[in-house]
Amino acid sequence: MIRLGAGRPERIAAVGAHCDDIAIGAGGTLLTLCRARPGIRVDALVLSGGGSEREQEEQAALAAFCPGADLRLTVHKLPDGRLPAHWEEAKSAVEELRERTDPDLVLAPRTDDAHQDHRGLAQLIPTAFRDHLVLGYEIVKWDGDLGRPAAYQPLSPETAEQKVRLLQEHYPSQRHRPWYDREAFLGLARIRGIECHERYAEAFAVTKLTLSLGD
């Protein structure tokens, strides 16, 4: 297996349609990056949940998932499940994020995610972040839309366990959901770990990647 790094990122942009999307899809990667890069800047954007208990959950959760980072979180108030009807507002939010950061890495939903909010946000990202490495994270759900990822971030057993623990701790509003449990999160991480010869991993879609193999 070929292992290609993305350099030493100093700035990350993480975007989600809903509070908890970023943590579910890339929480282990954030933990790994922030531990390895103390003081790394993380600009996080969430399109829905602003002004509610969900925003409070997100603030506490991302602070825990980004230890030691320069975290800057913005949560908007778009209605859940209605992103296509609020396209201009969503696009403006993404463009505002781009204006305040030039990240080395963007963590975003996958373009083939079955949820219309996730998919819509994923389609907006390359319109603002045109020359950036974008990793599309996956979120397990009843739609059965998990695919064949192209990139993997291995997670240590401790990091995988911490991710699950933080998800359970910081998002009490989601605990009633039948898919929101330890088995689902750790099980997917174990499967992705098998695929990259590790114990656990998070997996990502990559739509465009520029290599510098001769440098």
Side-chain angles (χ1 to χ4, degrees), residues 21-22 40 43 83 90 92 96-97 103 111 145 167 174 215:
D21 284 355
I22 296 170
I40 189 171
D43 287 274
L83 187 148
S92 294
E96 289 169 5
L97 173 65
T111 55
D145 63 351
L167 286 172
Q174 304 304 298
D215 293 345

Side-chain angles (χ1 to χ4, degrees), residues 15-81:
V15 299
H18 317 101
C19 296
D20 79 13
D21 284 355
I22 296 170
I24 291 173
T29 297
L30 286 174
L31 283 168
T32 301
L33 277 169
C34 291
R35 286 177 182 150
R37 308 277 191 272
I40 189 171
R41 177 167 164 176
V42 179
D43 287 274
L45 168 68
V46 179
L47 294 183
S48 64
S52 70
E53 66 171 359
R54 298 281 277 134
E55 180 177 4
Q56 298 174 14
E57 289 179 344
E58 188 75 341
Q59 289 174 338
L62 289 189
F65 276 103
C66 301
D70 177 9
L71 174 64
R72 308 180 189 196
L73 170 64
T74 302
V75 182
H76 287 270
K77 298 181 179 180
L78 273 64
D80 188 353

Side-chain angles (χ1 to χ4, degrees), residues 138-167:
E138 54 185 358
I139 297 178
V140 64
K141 62 180 79 68
W142 72 271
D143 305 81
D145 63 351
L146 297 179
R148 298 184 63 182
Y152 297 85
Q153 171 57 53
L155 305 178
S156 69
E158 294 77 15
T159 298
E161 290 283 357
Q162 184 179 11
K163 173 184 175 177
V164 174
R165 184 170 65 253
L166 292 177
L167 286 172

